[in-house]
Amino acid sequence: MKSPIAHAELIATFRRAEAEAAHKFGLIKAVATKGPRAIQMAVETAKKAAKRRDAYAKKLAALKVDLKD
């Protein structure tokens, strides 16, 4: 079994990834006036951030850590 410190670090990393994903999705609105290429890049970046967030969520789920608020 992993130590509680490792769980805390993983939870903190997940929280940062969650905040980053929310920020990246917000950037899509900000670049909406910049043109289709900028929108496409923002969408791709947001997808990558969401993928990282989901990967951390999956690791936490495997450890049976529930972060539902």
Side-chain angles (χ1 to χ4, degrees), residues 7-46:
H7 285 191
E9 290 174 358
L10 188 58
I11 290 169
T13 303
F14 169 75
R15 299 266 188 215
R16 283 191 302 273
E18 191 174 41
E20 178 188 13
H23 174 73
K24 300 293 183 182
F25 278 108
L27 288 178
I28 295 171
K29 292 179 185 175
V31 300
T33 61
K34 304 255 186 222
R37 182 68 181 146
I39 294 170
Q40 180 184 6
M41 293 299 293
V43 168
E44 289 172 5
T45 302

PDB file of all heavy atoms in Angstrom, residues 7-46:
ATOM      1  N   HIS A   7      -0.290   9.765  -1.591  1.00  0.00           N
ATOM      2  CA  HIS A   7      -1.677  10.071  -1.947  1.00  0.00           C
ATOM      3  C   HIS A   7      -1.894  11.576  -1.956  1.00  0.00           C
ATOM      4  O   HIS A   7      -2.526  12.105  -2.866  1.00  0.00           O
ATOM      5  CB  HIS A   7      -2.645   9.424  -0.967  1.00  0.00           C
ATOM      6  CG  HIS A   7      -2.784   7.949  -1.159  1.00  0.00           C
ATOM      7  ND1 HIS A   7      -3.765   7.235  -0.535  1.00  0.00           N
ATOM      8  CD2 HIS A   7      -2.083   7.045  -1.886  1.00  0.00           C
ATOM      9  CE1 HIS A   7      -3.668   5.961  -0.870  1.00  0.00           C
ATOM     10  NE2 HIS A   7      -2.649   5.828  -1.676  1.00  0.00           N
ATOM     11  N   ALA A   8      -1.375  12.260  -0.962  1.00  0.00           N
ATOM     12  CA  ALA A   8      -1.533  13.713  -0.873  1.00  0.00           C
ATOM     13  C   ALA A   8      -0.870  14.410  -2.053  1.00  0.00           C
ATOM     14  O   ALA A   8      -1.426  15.361  -2.613  1.00  0.00           O
ATOM     15  CB  ALA A   8      -0.959  14.230   0.439  1.00  0.00           C
ATOM     16  N   GLU A   9       0.300  13.930  -2.438  1.00  0.00           N
ATOM     17  CA  GLU A   9       0.992  14.515  -3.595  1.00  0.00           C
ATOM     18  C   GLU A   9       0.199  14.282  -4.870  1.00  0.00           C
ATOM     19  O   GLU A   9       0.092  15.172  -5.711  1.00  0.00           O
ATOM     20  CB  GLU A   9       2.394  13.931  -3.718  1.00  0.00           C
ATOM     21  CG  GLU A   9       3.337  14.386  -2.632  1.00  0.00           C
ATOM     22  CD  GLU A   9       4.677  13.684  -2.688  1.00  0.00           C
ATOM     23  OE1 GLU A   9       4.888  12.801  -3.546  1.00  0.00           O
ATOM     24  OE2 GLU A   9       5.538  14.016  -1.855  1.00  0.00           O
ATOM     25  N   LEU A  10      -0.350  13.092  -5.022  1.00  0.00           N
ATOM     26  CA  LEU A  10      -1.147  12.774  -6.199  1.00  0.00           C
ATOM     27  C   LEU A  10      -2.421  13.609  -6.227  1.00  0.00           C
ATOM     28  O   LEU A  10      -2.825  14.112  -7.281  1.00  0.00           O
ATOM     29  CB  LEU A  10      -1.479  11.286  -6.235  1.00  0.00           C
ATOM     30  CG  LEU A  10      -2.152  10.768  -7.505  1.00  0.00           C
ATOM     31  CD1 LEU A  10      -1.303  11.037  -8.737  1.00  0.00           C
ATOM     32  CD2 LEU A  10      -2.421   9.278  -7.376  1.00  0.00           C
ATOM     33  N   ILE A  11      -3.042  13.801  -5.071  1.00  0.00           N
ATOM     34  CA  ILE A  11      -4.242  14.639  -4.998  1.00  0.00           C
ATOM     35  C   ILE A  11      -3.902  16.082  -5.364  1.00  0.00           C
ATOM     36  O   ILE A  11      -4.629  16.729  -6.115  1.00  0.00           O
ATOM     37  CB  ILE A  11      -4.882  14.558  -3.597  1.00  0.00           C
ATOM     38  CG1 ILE A  11      -5.489  13.162  -3.390  1.00  0.00           C
ATOM     39  CG2 ILE A  11      -5.941  15.631  -3.411  1.00  0.00           C
ATOM     40  CD1 ILE A  11      -5.920  12.871  -1.971  1.00  0.00           C
ATOM     41  N   ALA A  12      -2.793  16.580  -4.858  1.00  0.00           N
ATOM     42  CA  ALA A  12      -2.371  17.947  -5.179  1.00  0.00           C
ATOM     43  C   ALA A  12      -2.089  18.091  -6.668  1.00  0.00           C
ATOM     44  O   ALA A  12      -2.469  19.096  -7.294  1.00  0.00           O
ATOM     45  CB  ALA A  12      -1.136  18.321  -4.366  1.00  0.00           C
ATOM     46  N   THR A  13      -1.446  17.096  -7.258  1.00  0.00           N
ATOM     47  CA  THR A  13      -1.167  17.118  -8.690  1.00  0.00           C
ATOM     48  C   THR A  13      -2.457  17.096  -9.483  1.00  0.00           C
ATOM     49  O   THR A  13      -2.605  17.819 -10.471  1.00  0.00           O
ATOM     50  CB  THR A  13      -0.276  15.920  -9.079  1.00  0.00           C
ATOM     51  OG1 THR A  13       0.921  15.980  -8.311  1.00  0.00           O
ATOM     52  CG2 THR A  13       0.078  15.952 -10.549  1.00  0.00           C
ATOM     53  N   PHE A  14      -3.420  16.285  -9.037  1.00  0.00           N
ATOM     54  CA  PHE A  14      -4.717  16.240  -9.703  1.00  0.00           C
ATOM     55  C   PHE A  14      -5.407  17.594  -9.637  1.00  0.00           C
ATOM     56  O   PHE A  14      -5.964  18.069 -10.629  1.00  0.00           O
ATOM     57  CB  PHE A  14      -5.608  15.167  -9.078  1.00  0.00           C
ATOM     58  CG  PHE A  14      -7.040  15.246  -9.537  1.00  0.00           C
ATOM     59  CD1 PHE A  14      -7.387  14.817 -10.812  1.00  0.00           C
ATOM     60  CD2 PHE A  14      -8.025  15.758  -8.718  1.00  0.00           C
ATOM     61  CE1 PHE A  14      -8.692  14.891 -11.252  1.00  0.00           C
ATOM     62  CE2 PHE A  14      -9.332  15.832  -9.143  1.00  0.00           C
ATOM     63  CZ  PHE A  14      -9.668  15.408 -10.419  1.00  0.00           C
ATOM     64  N   ARG A  15      -5.374  18.228  -8.475  1.00  0.00           N
ATOM     65  CA  ARG A  15      -6.018  19.542  -8.312  1.00  0.00           C
ATOM     66  C   ARG A  15      -5.392  20.579  -9.251  1.00  0.00           C
ATOM     67  O   ARG A  15      -6.090  21.401  -9.835  1.00  0.00           O
ATOM     68  CB  ARG A  15      -5.926  20.017  -6.871  1.00  0.00           C
ATOM     69  CG  ARG A  15      -6.603  19.120  -5.880  1.00  0.00           C
ATOM     70  CD  ARG A  15      -7.992  19.560  -5.603  1.00  0.00           C
ATOM     71  NE  ARG A  15      -8.517  18.754  -4.485  1.00  0.00           N
ATOM     72  CZ  ARG A  15      -9.758  18.382  -4.402  1.00  0.00           C
ATOM     73  NH1 ARG A  15     -10.607  18.736  -5.313  1.00  0.00           N
ATOM     74  NH2 ARG A  15     -10.156  17.650  -3.393  1.00  0.00           N
ATOM     75  N   ARG A  16      -4.060  20.547  -9.378  1.00  0.00           N
ATOM     76  CA  ARG A  16      -3.393  21.475 -10.298  1.00  0.00           C
ATOM     77  C   ARG A  16      -3.790  21.193 -11.733  1.00  0.00           C
ATOM     78  O   ARG A  16      -4.047  22.119 -12.512  1.00  0.00           O
ATOM     79  CB  ARG A  16      -1.876  21.393 -10.132  1.00  0.00           C
ATOM     80  CG  ARG A  16      -1.355  22.099  -8.915  1.00  0.00           C
ATOM     81  CD  ARG A  16       0.153  22.228  -8.934  1.00  0.00           C
ATOM     82  NE  ARG A  16       0.855  20.950  -9.025  1.00  0.00           N
ATOM     83  CZ  ARG A  16       1.183  20.194  -7.988  1.00  0.00           C
ATOM     84  NH1 ARG A  16       0.883  20.581  -6.775  1.00  0.00           N
ATOM     85  NH2 ARG A  16       1.812  19.053  -8.168  1.00  0.00           N
ATOM     86  N   ALA A  17      -3.850  19.911 -12.108  1.00  0.00           N
ATOM     87  CA  ALA A  17      -4.245  19.540 -13.463  1.00  0.00           C
ATOM     88  C   ALA A  17      -5.689  19.942 -13.736  1.00  0.00           C
ATOM     89  O   ALA A  17      -6.028  20.375 -14.837  1.00  0.00           O
ATOM     90  CB  ALA A  17      -4.058  18.041 -13.671  1.00  0.00           C
ATOM     91  N   GLU A  18      -6.529  19.825 -12.726  1.00  0.00           N
ATOM     92  CA  GLU A  18      -7.935  20.208 -12.853  1.00  0.00           C
ATOM     93  C   GLU A  18      -8.056  21.718 -13.091  1.00  0.00           C
ATOM     94  O   GLU A  18      -8.799  22.165 -13.967  1.00  0.00           O
ATOM     95  CB  GLU A  18      -8.666  19.801 -11.577  1.00  0.00           C
ATOM     96  CG  GLU A  18     -10.150  19.886 -11.627  1.00  0.00           C
ATOM     97  CD  GLU A  18     -10.769  19.323 -10.354  1.00  0.00           C
ATOM     98  OE1 GLU A  18     -10.262  19.558  -9.241  1.00  0.00           O
ATOM     99  OE2 GLU A  18     -11.789  18.642 -10.501  1.00  0.00           O
ATOM    100  N   ALA A  19      -7.300  22.495 -12.345  1.00  0.00           N
ATOM    101  CA  ALA A  19      -7.313  23.950 -12.505  1.00  0.00           C
ATOM    102  C   ALA A  19      -6.747  24.348 -13.862  1.00  0.00           C
ATOM    103  O   ALA A  19      -7.265  25.262 -14.523  1.00  0.00           O
ATOM    104  CB  ALA A  19      -6.520  24.608 -11.384  1.00  0.00           C
ATOM    105  N   GLU A  20      -5.689  23.661 -14.283  1.00  0.00           N
ATOM    106  CA  GLU A  20      -5.091  23.959 -15.584  1.00  0.00           C
ATOM    107  C   GLU A  20      -6.075  23.676 -16.713  1.00  0.00           C
ATOM    108  O   GLU A  20      -6.194  24.458 -17.645  1.00  0.00           O
ATOM    109  CB  GLU A  20      -3.820  23.130 -15.783  1.00  0.00           C
ATOM    110  CG  GLU A  20      -3.173  23.365 -17.127  1.00  0.00           C
ATOM    111  CD  GLU A  20      -2.033  22.408 -17.426  1.00  0.00           C
ATOM    112  OE1 GLU A  20      -1.879  21.400 -16.715  1.00  0.00           O
ATOM    113  OE2 GLU A  20      -1.324  22.670 -18.404  1.00  0.00           O
ATOM    114  N   ALA A  21      -6.789  22.558 -16.624  1.00  0.00           N
ATOM    115  CA  ALA A  21      -7.759  22.212 -17.658  1.00  0.00           C
ATOM    116  C   ALA A  21      -8.867  23.263 -17.727  1.00  0.00           C
ATOM    117  O   ALA A  21      -9.267  23.677 -18.816  1.00  0.00           O
ATOM    118  CB  ALA A  21      -8.350  20.834 -17.396  1.00  0.00           C
ATOM    119  N   ALA A  22      -9.341  23.706 -16.582  1.00  0.00           N
ATOM    120  CA  ALA A  22     -10.386  24.741 -16.559  1.00  0.00           C
ATOM    121  C   ALA A  22      -9.866  26.031 -17.186  1.00  0.00           C
ATOM    122  O   ALA A  22     -10.579  26.697 -17.957  1.00  0.00           O
ATOM    123  CB  ALA A  22     -10.840  24.987 -15.134  1.00  0.00           C
ATOM    124  N   HIS A  23      -8.632  26.380 -16.881  1.00  0.00           N
ATOM    125  CA  HIS A  23      -8.028  27.584 -17.457  1.00  0.00           C
ATOM    126  C   HIS A  23      -7.899  27.468 -18.973  1.00  0.00           C
ATOM    127  O   HIS A  23      -8.212  28.411 -19.702  1.00  0.00           O
ATOM    128  CB  HIS A  23      -6.658  27.824 -16.823  1.00  0.00           C
ATOM    129  CG  HIS A  23      -5.905  28.948 -17.447  1.00  0.00           C
ATOM    130  ND1 HIS A  23      -6.242  30.266 -17.263  1.00  0.00           N
ATOM    131  CD2 HIS A  23      -4.823  28.936 -18.265  1.00  0.00           C
ATOM    132  CE1 HIS A  23      -5.399  31.025 -17.951  1.00  0.00           C
ATOM    133  NE2 HIS A  23      -4.532  30.243 -18.558  1.00  0.00           N
ATOM    134  N   LYS A  24      -7.442  26.314 -19.443  1.00  0.00           N
ATOM    135  CA  LYS A  24      -7.257  26.119 -20.884  1.00  0.00           C
ATOM    136  C   LYS A  24      -8.589  26.190 -21.630  1.00  0.00           C
ATOM    137  O   LYS A  24      -8.651  26.723 -22.730  1.00  0.00           O
ATOM    138  CB  LYS A  24      -6.569  24.780 -21.176  1.00  0.00           C
ATOM    139  CG  LYS A  24      -5.200  24.627 -20.568  1.00  0.00           C
ATOM    140  CD  LYS A  24      -4.193  25.557 -21.175  1.00  0.00           C
ATOM    141  CE  LYS A  24      -2.833  25.289 -20.548  1.00  0.00           C
ATOM    142  NZ  LYS A  24      -1.807  26.156 -21.019  1.00  0.00           N
ATOM    143  N   PHE A  25      -9.654  25.647 -21.030  1.00  0.00           N
ATOM    144  CA  PHE A  25     -10.958  25.743 -21.671  1.00  0.00           C
ATOM    145  C   PHE A  25     -11.435  27.199 -21.694  1.00  0.00           C
ATOM    146  O   PHE A  25     -12.095  27.619 -22.637  1.00  0.00           O
ATOM    147  CB  PHE A  25     -11.987  24.842 -20.977  1.00  0.00           C
ATOM    148  CG  PHE A  25     -11.893  23.406 -21.425  1.00  0.00           C
ATOM    149  CD1 PHE A  25     -11.388  22.440 -20.581  1.00  0.00           C
ATOM    150  CD2 PHE A  25     -12.304  23.023 -22.697  1.00  0.00           C
ATOM    151  CE1 PHE A  25     -11.286  21.121 -20.987  1.00  0.00           C
ATOM    152  CE2 PHE A  25     -12.204  21.710 -23.115  1.00  0.00           C
ATOM    153  CZ  PHE A  25     -11.696  20.758 -22.264  1.00  0.00           C
ATOM    154  N   GLY A  26     -11.076  27.968 -20.696  1.00  0.00           N
ATOM    155  CA  GLY A  26     -11.404  29.392 -20.681  1.00  0.00           C
ATOM    156  C   GLY A  26     -10.677  30.161 -21.762  1.00  0.00           C
ATOM    157  O   GLY A  26     -11.188  31.153 -22.289  1.00  0.00           O
ATOM    158  N   LEU A  27      -9.479  29.709 -22.119  1.00  0.00           N
ATOM    159  CA  LEU A  27      -8.713  30.372 -23.169  1.00  0.00           C
ATOM    160  C   LEU A  27      -9.389  30.268 -24.535  1.00  0.00           C
ATOM    161  O   LEU A  27      -9.183  31.128 -25.391  1.00  0.00           O
ATOM    162  CB  LEU A  27      -7.301  29.787 -23.257  1.00  0.00           C
ATOM    163  CG  LEU A  27      -6.359  30.147 -22.132  1.00  0.00           C
ATOM    164  CD1 LEU A  27      -5.012  29.452 -22.328  1.00  0.00           C
ATOM    165  CD2 LEU A  27      -6.146  31.646 -22.062  1.00  0.00           C
ATOM    166  N   ILE A  28     -10.183  29.238 -24.720  1.00  0.00           N
ATOM    167  CA  ILE A  28     -10.880  29.080 -25.994  1.00  0.00           C
ATOM    168  C   ILE A  28     -11.767  30.293 -26.242  1.00  0.00           C
ATOM    169  O   ILE A  28     -11.797  30.842 -27.351  1.00  0.00           O
ATOM    170  CB  ILE A  28     -11.703  27.770 -26.018  1.00  0.00           C
ATOM    171  CG1 ILE A  28     -10.757  26.569 -25.951  1.00  0.00           C
ATOM    172  CG2 ILE A  28     -12.570  27.696 -27.266  1.00  0.00           C
ATOM    173  CD1 ILE A  28     -11.452  25.243 -25.747  1.00  0.00           C
ATOM    174  N   LYS A  29     -12.469  30.746 -25.213  1.00  0.00           N
ATOM    175  CA  LYS A  29     -13.325  31.928 -25.343  1.00  0.00           C
ATOM    176  C   LYS A  29     -12.486  33.173 -25.607  1.00  0.00           C
ATOM    177  O   LYS A  29     -12.883  34.050 -26.364  1.00  0.00           O
ATOM    178  CB  LYS A  29     -14.159  32.123 -24.084  1.00  0.00           C
ATOM    179  CG  LYS A  29     -15.207  31.062 -23.881  1.00  0.00           C
ATOM    180  CD  LYS A  29     -15.973  31.294 -22.608  1.00  0.00           C
ATOM    181  CE  LYS A  29     -16.932  30.159 -22.341  1.00  0.00           C
ATOM    182  NZ  LYS A  29     -17.606  30.309 -21.048  1.00  0.00           N
ATOM    183  N   ALA A  30     -11.327  33.246 -24.974  1.00  0.00           N
ATOM    184  CA  ALA A  30     -10.484  34.428 -25.110  1.00  0.00           C
ATOM    185  C   ALA A  30      -9.925  34.573 -26.516  1.00  0.00           C
ATOM    186  O   ALA A  30      -9.747  35.694 -26.995  1.00  0.00           O
ATOM    187  CB  ALA A  30      -9.350  34.377 -24.095  1.00  0.00           C
ATOM    188  N   VAL A  31      -9.655  33.476 -27.186  1.00  0.00           N
ATOM    189  CA  VAL A  31      -9.065  33.554 -28.529  1.00  0.00           C
ATOM    190  C   VAL A  31     -10.124  33.456 -29.621  1.00  0.00           C
ATOM    191  O   VAL A  31      -9.774  33.400 -30.800  1.00  0.00           O
ATOM    192  CB  VAL A  31      -7.985  32.474 -28.745  1.00  0.00           C
ATOM    193  CG1 VAL A  31      -6.860  32.615 -27.756  1.00  0.00           C
ATOM    194  CG2 VAL A  31      -8.557  31.084 -28.726  1.00  0.00           C
ATOM    195  N   ALA A  32     -11.378  33.476 -29.252  1.00  0.00           N
ATOM    196  CA  ALA A  32     -12.455  33.325 -30.232  1.00  0.00           C
ATOM    197  C   ALA A  32     -12.397  34.393 -31.323  1.00  0.00           C
ATOM    198  O   ALA A  32     -12.764  34.123 -32.471  1.00  0.00           O
ATOM    199  CB  ALA A  32     -13.809  33.355 -29.543  1.00  0.00           C
ATOM    200  N   THR A  33     -11.919  35.562 -30.991  1.00  0.00           N
ATOM    201  CA  THR A  33     -11.857  36.641 -31.979  1.00  0.00           C
ATOM    202  C   THR A  33     -10.561  36.637 -32.782  1.00  0.00           C
ATOM    203  O   THR A  33     -10.418  37.430 -33.707  1.00  0.00           O
ATOM    204  CB  THR A  33     -11.995  38.006 -31.278  1.00  0.00           C
ATOM    205  OG1 THR A  33     -10.915  38.155 -30.362  1.00  0.00           O
ATOM    206  CG2 THR A  33     -13.315  38.102 -30.535  1.00  0.00           C
ATOM    207  N   LYS A  34      -9.656  35.765 -32.439  1.00  0.00           N
ATOM    208  CA  LYS A  34      -8.335  35.750 -33.084  1.00  0.00           C
ATOM    209  C   LYS A  34      -8.295  34.938 -34.376  1.00  0.00           C
ATOM    210  O   LYS A  34      -7.313  34.970 -35.089  1.00  0.00           O
ATOM    211  CB  LYS A  34      -7.283  35.205 -32.126  1.00  0.00           C
ATOM    212  CG  LYS A  34      -7.211  35.947 -30.824  1.00  0.00           C
ATOM    213  CD  LYS A  34      -6.021  36.815 -30.785  1.00  0.00           C
ATOM    214  CE  LYS A  34      -5.922  37.414 -29.401  1.00  0.00           C
ATOM    215  NZ  LYS A  34      -5.565  38.781 -29.414  1.00  0.00           N
ATOM    216  N   GLY A  35      -9.316  34.149 -34.629  1.00  0.00           N
ATOM    217  CA  GLY A  35      -9.354  33.391 -35.866  1.00  0.00           C
ATOM    218  C   GLY A  35      -9.391  31.895 -35.638  1.00  0.00           C
ATOM    219  O   GLY A  35      -9.170  31.407 -34.524  1.00  0.00           O
ATOM    220  N   PRO A  36      -9.650  31.151 -36.719  1.00  0.00           N
ATOM    221  CA  PRO A  36      -9.834  29.704 -36.598  1.00  0.00           C
ATOM    222  C   PRO A  36      -8.578  28.946 -36.166  1.00  0.00           C
ATOM    223  O   PRO A  36      -8.673  27.969 -35.426  1.00  0.00           O
ATOM    224  CB  PRO A  36     -10.288  29.267 -37.986  1.00  0.00           C
ATOM    225  CG  PRO A  36      -9.952  30.386 -38.892  1.00  0.00           C
ATOM    226  CD  PRO A  36      -9.889  31.624 -38.069  1.00  0.00           C
ATOM    227  N   ARG A  37      -7.420  29.391 -36.595  1.00  0.00           N
ATOM    228  CA  ARG A  37      -6.181  28.692 -36.218  1.00  0.00           C
ATOM    229  C   ARG A  37      -5.921  28.823 -34.714  1.00  0.00           C
ATOM    230  O   ARG A  37      -5.542  27.852 -34.055  1.00  0.00           O
ATOM    231  CB  ARG A  37      -5.001  29.233 -37.020  1.00  0.00           C
ATOM    232  CG  ARG A  37      -3.693  28.550 -36.735  1.00  0.00           C
ATOM    233  CD  ARG A  37      -3.692  27.121 -37.215  1.00  0.00           C
ATOM    234  NE  ARG A  37      -2.406  26.524 -36.873  1.00  0.00           N
ATOM    235  CZ  ARG A  37      -2.233  25.279 -36.534  1.00  0.00           C
ATOM    236  NH1 ARG A  37      -3.256  24.456 -36.527  1.00  0.00           N
ATOM    237  NH2 ARG A  37      -1.052  24.817 -36.220  1.00  0.00           N
ATOM    238  N   ALA A  38      -6.145  30.011 -34.183  1.00  0.00           N
ATOM    239  CA  ALA A  38      -5.953  30.226 -32.745  1.00  0.00           C
ATOM    240  C   ALA A  38      -6.952  29.401 -31.952  1.00  0.00           C
ATOM    241  O   ALA A  38      -6.598  28.817 -30.922  1.00  0.00           O
ATOM    242  CB  ALA A  38      -6.092  31.704 -32.408  1.00  0.00           C
ATOM    243  N   ILE A  39      -8.178  29.340 -32.419  1.00  0.00           N
ATOM    244  CA  ILE A  39      -9.198  28.541 -31.743  1.00  0.00           C
ATOM    245  C   ILE A  39      -8.809  27.073 -31.770  1.00  0.00           C
ATOM    246  O   ILE A  39      -8.913  26.369 -30.765  1.00  0.00           O
ATOM    247  CB  ILE A  39     -10.584  28.755 -32.390  1.00  0.00           C
ATOM    248  CG1 ILE A  39     -11.048  30.185 -32.170  1.00  0.00           C
ATOM    249  CG2 ILE A  39     -11.604  27.767 -31.832  1.00  0.00           C
ATOM    250  CD1 ILE A  39     -12.277  30.572 -32.968  1.00  0.00           C
ATOM    251  N   GLN A  40      -8.330  26.599 -32.921  1.00  0.00           N
ATOM    252  CA  GLN A  40      -7.923  25.200 -33.048  1.00  0.00           C
ATOM    253  C   GLN A  40      -6.786  24.877 -32.080  1.00  0.00           C
ATOM    254  O   GLN A  40      -6.822  23.843 -31.414  1.00  0.00           O
ATOM    255  CB  GLN A  40      -7.491  24.907 -34.478  1.00  0.00           C
ATOM    256  CG  GLN A  40      -7.065  23.467 -34.689  1.00  0.00           C
ATOM    257  CD  GLN A  40      -6.547  23.217 -36.108  1.00  0.00           C
ATOM    258  OE1 GLN A  40      -6.411  24.139 -36.902  1.00  0.00           O
ATOM    259  NE2 GLN A  40      -6.252  21.978 -36.411  1.00  0.00           N
ATOM    260  N   MET A  41      -5.812  25.753 -31.982  1.00  0.00           N
ATOM    261  CA  MET A  41      -4.686  25.520 -31.065  1.00  0.00           C
ATOM    262  C   MET A  41      -5.165  25.515 -29.612  1.00  0.00           C
ATOM    263  O   MET A  41      -4.714  24.686 -28.817  1.00  0.00           O
ATOM    264  CB  MET A  41      -3.609  26.593 -31.263  1.00  0.00           C
ATOM    265  CG  MET A  41      -2.911  26.518 -32.612  1.00  0.00           C
ATOM    266  SD  MET A  41      -2.054  24.957 -32.894  1.00  0.00           S
ATOM    267  CE  MET A  41      -0.780  25.058 -31.675  1.00  0.00           C
ATOM    268  N   ALA A  42      -6.073  26.422 -29.269  1.00  0.00           N
ATOM    269  CA  ALA A  42      -6.589  26.470 -27.902  1.00  0.00           C
ATOM    270  C   ALA A  42      -7.378  25.206 -27.575  1.00  0.00           C
ATOM    271  O   ALA A  42      -7.272  24.662 -26.470  1.00  0.00           O
ATOM    272  CB  ALA A  42      -7.467  27.708 -27.711  1.00  0.00           C
ATOM    273  N   VAL A  43      -8.143  24.713 -28.528  1.00  0.00           N
ATOM    274  CA  VAL A  43      -8.917  23.489 -28.316  1.00  0.00           C
ATOM    275  C   VAL A  43      -7.985  22.296 -28.119  1.00  0.00           C
ATOM    276  O   VAL A  43      -8.195  21.472 -27.227  1.00  0.00           O
ATOM    277  CB  VAL A  43      -9.891  23.249 -29.491  1.00  0.00           C
ATOM    278  CG1 VAL A  43     -10.483  21.854 -29.444  1.00  0.00           C
ATOM    279  CG2 VAL A  43     -10.999  24.289 -29.479  1.00  0.00           C
ATOM    280  N   GLU A  44      -6.948  22.207 -28.945  1.00  0.00           N
ATOM    281  CA  GLU A  44      -5.988  21.100 -28.810  1.00  0.00           C
ATOM    282  C   GLU A  44      -5.274  21.141 -27.459  1.00  0.00           C
ATOM    283  O   GLU A  44      -5.088  20.109 -26.813  1.00  0.00           O
ATOM    284  CB  GLU A  44      -4.977  21.150 -29.952  1.00  0.00           C
ATOM    285  CG  GLU A  44      -5.581  20.773 -31.298  1.00  0.00           C
ATOM    286  CD  GLU A  44      -4.631  20.998 -32.460  1.00  0.00           C
ATOM    287  OE1 GLU A  44      -3.456  21.361 -32.234  1.00  0.00           O
ATOM    288  OE2 GLU A  44      -5.080  20.814 -33.604  1.00  0.00           O
ATOM    289  N   THR A  45      -4.907  22.331 -27.026  1.00  0.00           N
ATOM    290  CA  THR A  45      -4.249  22.489 -25.733  1.00  0.00           C
ATOM    291  C   THR A  45      -5.189  22.106 -24.597  1.00  0.00           C
ATOM    292  O   THR A  45      -4.786  21.438 -23.639  1.00  0.00           O
ATOM    293  CB  THR A  45      -3.763  23.946 -25.561  1.00  0.00           C
ATOM    294  OG1 THR A  45      -2.887  24.259 -26.641  1.00  0.00           O
ATOM    295  CG2 THR A  45      -3.027  24.134 -24.257  1.00  0.00           C
ATOM    296  N   ALA A  46      -6.443  22.506 -24.710  1.00  0.00           N
ATOM    297  CA  ALA A  46      -7.433  22.168 -23.684  1.00  0.00           C
ATOM    298  C   ALA A  46      -7.667  20.659 -23.627  1.00  0.00           C
ATOM    299  O   ALA A  46      -7.823  20.095 -22.544  1.00  0.00           O
ATOM    300  CB  ALA A  46      -8.741  22.894 -23.963  1.00  0.00           C
TER     301      ALA A  46
END
